[in-house]
Amino acid sequence: MMSYVTQGIDWAMEGRIHGVATCPINKLALHMAGEDFDGHTELLAQRTNSSAYVMMLAGDRLRVALVTIHLPLIQLSQKLTTEAVFKTISITHEALRSTFGIPKPRVAVAALNPHAGEDGLFGDEEVHIISPAIEKARGTGMNVSGPHPPDTLFYKALAGKWDAVVCMYHDQGLIPFKMVHFSDGVNVTLGLPIIRTSVDHGTAYDIAGTGKADPGSLVAAITMAAEHALQRGITVTE
């Protein structure tokens, strides 16, 4: 399995193909095979020598980008930094413009704590970590707002108020996203020198071979990869 993925990455880096659309991967199987990666995203980053990358889940109604990915919640407050939040905002903003074809992107940033911390009553990450990143992004000319209370943010995002939402951790973004886009959502890795999309679900070994699996997300991933290649004007070498 790994050889197929790495071959695709290498061909895209060489310009032999327009991009890579990957199928789901079992992370336990990956580790049992001796590979020290938590998933495709980390493998892609190493293979393409990319240090600044972002995981986004994208659909036609909602896009969410993650500051942290596969991280235990108990470690979240220690790992969250202003630089990480700013990097995610910046990479997301640029991808919306250059890859998704949105000339003036609008980005919302989710708070970490209930009620956006309630002025420090429920946590101070909004004051000391998230807000400084937003101000830094605004200082470079980006249209960024927040930190917004997560319990109302996605309702407004679905109504079209923003082009993407930057979320602090995995489930904060993926739970609302999959409520809307489970069958047609696409996992996009932003910040890479190549186009990479994937499905928004796991391997589902329990229904393998039963004819019950829904191919909608894979179809959407392949379609989006082609659309992004056209938007970025990628050509294939002979």
Side-chain angles (χ1 to χ4, degrees), residues 114 116-124:
E118 197 77 70
D119 295 322
L121 183 63
F122 302 139
D124 60 6

Side-chain angles (χ1 to χ4, degrees), residues 167-200:
C167 302
M168 296 302 109
Y169 60 96
H170 185 277
D171 283 8
Q172 185 184 58
L174 268 61
I175 289 174
F177 179 84
K178 291 187 179 183
M179 282 289 291
V180 179
H181 287 297
F182 187 81
S183 294
D184 63 354
V186 179
N187 182 339
V188 189
T189 308
L190 311 180
L192 301 179
I194 65 172
I195 298 293
R196 183 267 175 161
T197 63
S198 188
V199 295
D200 71 344

Side-chain angles (χ1 to χ4, degrees), residues 95 98-100 189-196 226-235:
S98 63
T99 304
F100 286 87
T189 308
L190 311 180
L192 301 179
I194 65 172
I195 298 293
R196 183 267 175 161
E227 291 171 348
H228 286 183
L230 288 171
Q231 177 64 35
R232 287 169 54 170
I234 296 174
T235 57

Side-chain angles (χ1 to χ4, degrees), residues 9-235:
I9 295 169
D10 292 346
W11 279 354
M13 288 291 288
E14 295 165 7
R16 295 178 62 183
I17 57 177
H18 290 95
V20 179
T22 60
C23 292
I25 193 171
N26 184 291
K27 295 169 181 58
L28 176 60
L30 194 66
H31 284 208
M32 290 177 66
E35 299 292 343
D36 191 25
F37 296 104
D38 289 331
H40 279 119
T41 304
E42 295 79 9
L43 167 62
L44 280 148
Q46 185 193 81
R47 197 79 179 181
T48 60
N49 195 30
S50 303
S51 58
Y53 58 91
V54 167
M55 176 179 172
M56 172 185 276
L57 275 290
D60 60 1
R61 296 185 62 198
L62 185 63
R63 302 182 188 94
V64 299
L66 307 180
V67 176
T68 64
I69 307 176
H70 301 116
L71 183 71
L73 282 178
I74 197 170
Q75 299 178 15
L76 185 57
S77 60
Q78 288 77 38
K79 296 290 186 179
L80 201 62
T81 66
T82 296
E83 186 55 36
V85 176
F86 172 75
K87 180 201 76 170
T88 306
I89 295 170
S90 181
I91 292 174
T92 300
H93 187 277
E94 173 56 25
L96 290 171
R97 189 190 62 80
S98 63
T99 304
F100 286 87
I102 302 170
K104 297 180 179 180
R106 302 161 299 163
V107 178
V109 180
L112 174 65
N113 298 298
H115 300 188
E118 197 77 70
D119 295 322
L121 183 63
F122 302 139
D124 60 6
E125 286 86 358
E126 286 75 19
V127 175
H128 298 300
I129 297 174
I130 302 173
S131 290
I134 293 171
E135 291 305 314
K136 183 177 179 181
R138 287 173 177 163
T140 66
M142 293 184 234
N143 183 354
V144 184
S145 64
H148 297 282
D151 60 348
T152 57
L153 170 60
F154 296 100
Y155 173 80
K156 297 175 183 178
L158 279 171
K161 187 170 184 178
W162 301 291
D163 299 303
V165 178
V166 170
C167 302
M168 296 302 109
Y169 60 96
H170 185 277
D171 283 8
Q172 185 184 58
L174 268 61
I175 289 174
F177 179 84
K178 291 187 179 183
M179 282 289 291
V180 179
H181 287 297
F182 187 81
S183 294
D184 63 354
V186 179
N187 182 339
V188 189
T189 308
L190 311 180
L192 301 179
I194 65 172
I195 298 293
R196 183 267 175 161
T197 63
S198 188
V199 295
D200 71 344
H201 55 72
T203 51
Y205 288 146
D206 57 319
I207 60 172
T210 66
K212 296 179 181 179
D214 183 351
S217 183
L218 181 58
V219 172
I222 295 169
T223 301
M224 186 174 288
E227 291 171 348
H228 286 183
L230 288 171
Q231 177 64 35
R232 287 169 54 170
I234 296 174
T235 57

